Amino acid sequence: MKPQSAFEREPARRVFASELRETRYQFKDGEDEKSPTYVILPTGIRSNRIFIVGTLTEKQRQGDQNIFYRGRVVDPTGTFFIMAGSYQPEAMQQLARIEPPAFVAVVGKPNLYTTPDGTCLVSVRVESISVVDRETRDLWVLDTARETLDRLDAFGTTEDSKKAQEEYGTRPELYRKIVYDALTQVQL
Amino acid sequence: MNLSEVTERISRKLEANGAQPDRQKIESRLRRLVEEFGVNAAEAERTVTADLAREHHLTGVGMGGNSATELRQIRDVAPNDWVTIEGKVVALTKPVSPSMAQTGIIADSSGAIRFVAWARGNPPAMEYGQWYRVESAVVDEYRGTPNLSIHSGTTISPVEKDIPLLPSITPIAELKPGVGSVRAKVIQDWEVTHDRMLQTGLLGDESGTIKFVIWKEEGKDKLELDAVYNIFYATVDEYNGRLSLALNTAMYITDEGDIEVGRQETEIQGALVHIAPGSGLIKRCPVEGCNRTLSRQNYCPVHEIQPEFRYDLRLKAVLDDGVHAKNVLMQREMVEKLAGITLDEAVQIAETNPLGMDEIFYRIRNAVLGRYYTCSGNEFGGRLLVNSCSPITFEPAELAALLNRAGGEPA
């Protein structure tokens, strides 16, 4: 008898807002309708789930038949746009309960959206959101810095990073600078 | 192929084994097979060699390593081999099906293998403790375990031999499905989960731990907790990728000394990114040895409605380090500590709050979701059973190191 299926949950990648904002390239891994959709992050890794911690500064309820919530989560490098609709009722209700400003941890799927005038927007479809404390935020900045540096160290050696180079012309030193600036904002 | 060359090769092979074959006879037999019967030369060579070896009562003469008549070490046999072995019957088990005449374990000095003698072949009954030569048996594989299949074409003959057989001890971490002998300490004695079970628990040696089971059977004794045993010829089974040891085929005797049991604990750090349904306050089946989770209607999948359930707290979640997502399972004490709520408090809240048990789920989720933890424990079926878990705290040194790594001067 085979061990239970080798399914492995997609890890939630750690990414700073300024990197996610630059994300433009999306692909489907496989032909199937249910095949996962990934984005390639500029520092060179595919991702269909991310974990972010930041300050929820604003939230808005929108739509009347299809209610959904939008929010802005700020990290040391920029802003994430998050949304939770009626397809994620748990996440939507969690978001509905949180009053900004608050430190929040968000697990979600990155989504690319192109406006009619051609600008590309990246939003995060929330799977879960919870209120955390400042220490968790600081830990996340360290964690995200470490993961981003790990990706930069491997840049050019992996398939995904070659793709990233092709799509974005990533300049690793720029992202090192972003990581450095983010770290300097963590107070000792 | 030149037949005289083949003849030469066969006769040399037989001579090397101490026989005096007649070369003309060899050549005429080969010629007959090749010319009259259109057998290819290689097959003819094999047939004639085997025939003559049998006539001269030779063993171990064959065409390289794969001949069925060559005596093999049990350790070296592999599934799909036709083999001849000599071994001692070290265990006889009750056949699970009437189509099996006998089942058990046969061992030589190199190792041991399970065997099945099929009833259709009318095999002679083998006796426990006796040596036998088993010719032309087939090694097959059953549930990932090599198994010596004794069929109608197999010859079994008793061998007069009484050499002491010392099984080689295998470290627990290196056990494979089949048969294994270990020197191990009983480190946990669990509640039995089945009427037919005499004892179950955990054995450990320096290399790791393994679950063991003893089924009820006459003459079988329980192991004592914390004692060290030499266990010879236990059956190693695999289920869902986990190995376990059944001691019913085994001989076990206490041994002196102690063992420092090596725990293969896995430690992972990450953020809890998902709290799965079934976390929080749950009800468990009160039937002795059951402990299953009841549904909201107090229904146990085995014991039906159980209104006298027991409450428990647990957390099924995903701990994610950004590269791998790992399922983790935490028991009551850990949940109480992480969520800052005791089982009693949880029960009281659940019984008075309109949301009931959901309220506890939400409270626990809000307390732990999105936070960083270090968890260590044992992996079981792709899930980490957490033995200890602590929140990660902010380390200024870590910040300094990362600042350096990012390429600037520390701020």
Side-chain angles (χ1 to χ4, degrees):
Chain A
M1 180 189 255
K2 283 245 181 247
Q4 279 164 358
S5 75
F7 169 78
E8 197 177 333
R9 181 185 157 103
E10 268 307 311
R13 303 290 176 188
R14 319 298 203 242
V15 56
F16 284 122
S18 58
E19 180 178 354
L20 189 70
R21 195 183 51 207
E22 298 302 319
T23 302
R24 294 284 174 274
Y25 180 69
Q26 183 170 257
F27 69 99
K28 223 167 150 79
D29 188 26
E31 299 295 305
D32 204 12
E33 197 188 330
K34 293 269 172 69
S35 300
T37 303
Y38 293 89
V39 298
I40 292 273
L41 298 176
T43 52
I45 198 138
R46 66 183 62 196
S47 164
N48 91 340
R49 176 176 283 135
I50 61 172
F51 176 60
I52 58 182
V53 182
T55 312
L56 179 74
T57 54
E58 198 185 307
K59 102 181 154 181
Q60 266 182 327
R61 190 181 123 136
Q62 291 192 325
D64 28 53
Q65 274 179 338
N66 288 314
I67 299 168
F68 67 99
Y69 281 78
R70 276 183 199 288
R72 296 166 70 98
V73 175
V74 176
D75 82 352
T77 70
T79 306
F80 295 100
F81 299 94
I82 64 169
M83 53 178 292
S86 38
Y87 287 114
Q88 305 92 34
E90 277 285 310
M92 189 178 87
Q93 287 163 31
Q94 284 172 54
L95 179 54
R97 287 164 58 115
I98 301 172
E99 275 311 311
F103 285 115
V104 290
V106 177
V107 179
K109 306 253 182 200
N111 248 352
L112 297 186
Y113 173 71
T114 313
T115 57
D117 62 2
T119 25
C120 190
L121 300 175
V122 188
S123 69
V124 181
R125 211 172 62 235
V126 179
E127 288 184 318
S128 73
I129 178 167
S130 60
V131 175
V132 295
D133 52 11
R134 172 166 208 120
E135 187 174 21
T136 304
R137 205 290 304 256
D138 291 348
L139 286 169
W140 178 82
V141 174
L142 298 194
D143 190 20
T144 305
R146 190 185 316 107
E147 301 267 325
T148 307
L149 291 174
D150 285 349
R151 294 199 290 267
L152 292 172
D153 286 351
F155 199 81
T157 62
T158 61
E159 281 302 304
D160 286 355
S161 61
K162 283 177 192 150
K163 190 78 200 165
Q165 181 63 47
E166 199 177 294
E167 290 292 327
Y168 305 110
T170 304
R171 287 164 56 206
E173 68 282 2
L174 206 73
Y175 283 96
R176 280 185 196 278
K177 175 83 168 64
I178 288 171
V179 169
Y180 183 82
D181 290 345
L183 287 166
T184 54
Q185 292 191 42
V186 175
Q187 279 154 19
L188 286 175
Chain B
M1 194 189 279
N2 187 343
L3 287 180
S4 61
E5 222 173 77
V6 179
T7 310
E8 194 54 35
R9 196 157 53 225
I10 296 175
S11 47
R12 266 203 233 114
K13 209 177 264 171
L14 292 167
E15 279 160 12
N17 283 276
Q20 289 321 213
D22 177 351
R23 274 163 213 241
Q24 259 181 336
K25 199 160 129 195
I26 297 178
E27 191 162 345
S28 69
R29 282 199 194 183
L30 281 171
R31 204 164 290 287
R32 186 155 182 266
L33 282 172
V34 175
E35 288 172 5
E36 269 180 59
F37 292 92
V39 175
N40 71 47
E43 183 58 30
E45 179 176 356
R46 202 200 64 83
T47 311
V48 173
T49 314
D51 283 351
L52 286 168
R54 210 171 296 128
E55 280 169 31
H56 287 89
H57 304 289
L58 294 179
T59 59
V61 182
M63 298 274 299
N66 276 326
S67 165
T69 51
E70 188 192 354
L71 189 63
R72 302 271 298 271
Q73 302 250 291
I74 290 178
R75 182 183 49 207
D76 301 331
V77 306
N80 300 324
D81 283 357
W82 282 69
V83 297
T84 292
I85 53 132
E86 255 180 38
K88 182 180 177 177
V89 176
V90 295
L92 285 173
T93 50
K94 213 174 136 196
V96 292
S97 148
S99 62
M100 298 171 176
Q102 240 182 348
T103 55
I105 295 172
I106 189 159
D108 67 11
S109 56
S110 71
I113 189 168
R114 297 193 211 182
F115 70 82
V116 176
W118 298 99
R120 272 183 61 184
N122 273 327
M126 294 196 276
E127 274 171 45
Y128 174 77
Q130 172 68 41
W131 283 79
Y132 292 93
R133 179 185 175 79
V134 179
E135 277 175 83
S136 302
V138 185
V139 182
D140 55 21
E141 200 175 304
Y142 180 66
R143 289 190 181 157
T145 308
N147 184 58
L148 190 72
S149 174
I150 294 169
H151 50 89
S152 52
T154 307
T155 327
I156 299 176
S157 41
V159 178
E160 284 313 316
K161 204 177 202 177
D162 200 22
I163 52 166
L165 192 59
L166 266 188
S168 51
I169 299 286
T170 311
I172 285 177
E174 291 166 27
L175 286 173
K176 289 191 195 68
V179 179
S181 302
V182 296
R183 179 174 181 272
K185 179 175 171 176
V186 184
I187 51 174
Q188 282 174 27
D189 190 356
W190 298 336
E191 272 178 47
V192 296
T193 52
H194 197 282
D195 298 340
R196 284 182 46 230
M197 213 181 256
L198 178 69
Q199 192 184 21
T200 179
L202 204 64
L203 287 169
D205 70 5
E206 291 82 355
S207 71
T209 57
I210 190 167
K211 175 189 165 181
F212 77 90
V213 183
I214 306 175
W215 300 97
K216 278 185 186 161
E217 196 186 320
E218 235 183 272
K220 283 288 161 200
D221 295 321
K222 283 192 182 184
L223 302 181
E224 252 171 69
L225 191 61
D226 291 328
V228 174
Y229 287 87
N230 280 311
I231 298 167
F232 298 148
Y233 306 122
T235 316
V236 189
D237 292 305
E238 186 179 354
Y239 183 67
N240 277 351
R242 292 281 302 180
L243 296 180
S244 70
L245 217 52
L247 301 198
N248 286 69
T249 56
M251 233 176 51
Y252 38 94
I253 42 174
T254 46
D255 194 7
E256 302 200 334
D258 199 6
I259 292 179
E260 191 67 37
V261 174
R263 307 232 172 220
Q264 309 146 287
E265 285 220 326
T266 315
E267 186 183 282
I268 42 175
Q269 298 196 325
L272 279 181
V273 296
H274 177 65
I275 311 299
S279 297
L281 192 63
I282 54 163
K283 302 168 180 174
R284 290 197 185 273
C285 177
V287 173
E288 173 130 353
C290 175
N291 224 22
R292 282 182 182 77
T293 311
L294 302 182
S295 76
R296 301 212 109 167
Q297 272 75 255
N298 303 335
Y299 184 83
C300 168
V302 176
H303 304 100
E304 304 190 305
I305 299 294
Q306 294 288 335
E308 298 297 311
F309 55 81
R310 218 157 47 64
Y311 277 117
D312 198 2
L313 281 172
R314 74 165 173 195
L315 184 61
K316 290 163 78 177
V318 177
L319 192 70
D320 183 320
D321 67 2
V323 181
H324 295 290
K326 189 90 208 160
N327 287 317
V328 297
L329 178 65
M330 293 188 210
Q331 303 297 335
R332 193 190 90 214
E333 297 84 58
M334 229 112 26
V335 179
E336 287 181 331
K337 198 179 82 183
L338 295 190
I341 187 171
T342 66
L343 176 59
D344 290 342
E345 287 163 3
V347 170
Q348 206 175 3
I349 292 165
E351 283 174 351
T352 53
N353 191 291
L355 282 178
M357 289 164 59
D358 286 348
E359 174 69 15
I360 305 302
F361 177 85
Y362 292 133
R363 282 193 193 208
I364 292 175
R365 185 187 69 189
N366 292 342
V368 300
L369 183 64
R371 289 167 196 257
Y372 283 91
Y373 295 98
T374 303
C375 288
S376 58
N378 303 89
E379 280 201 72
F380 193 97
R383 178 174 282 157
L384 189 77
L385 305 182
V386 181
N387 294 328
S388 68
C389 178
S390 52
I392 297 178
T393 53
F394 181 76
E395 295 286 344
E398 176 77 20
L399 173 60
L402 282 166
L403 278 166
N404 279 332
R405 211 182 134 193
E409 295 302 309

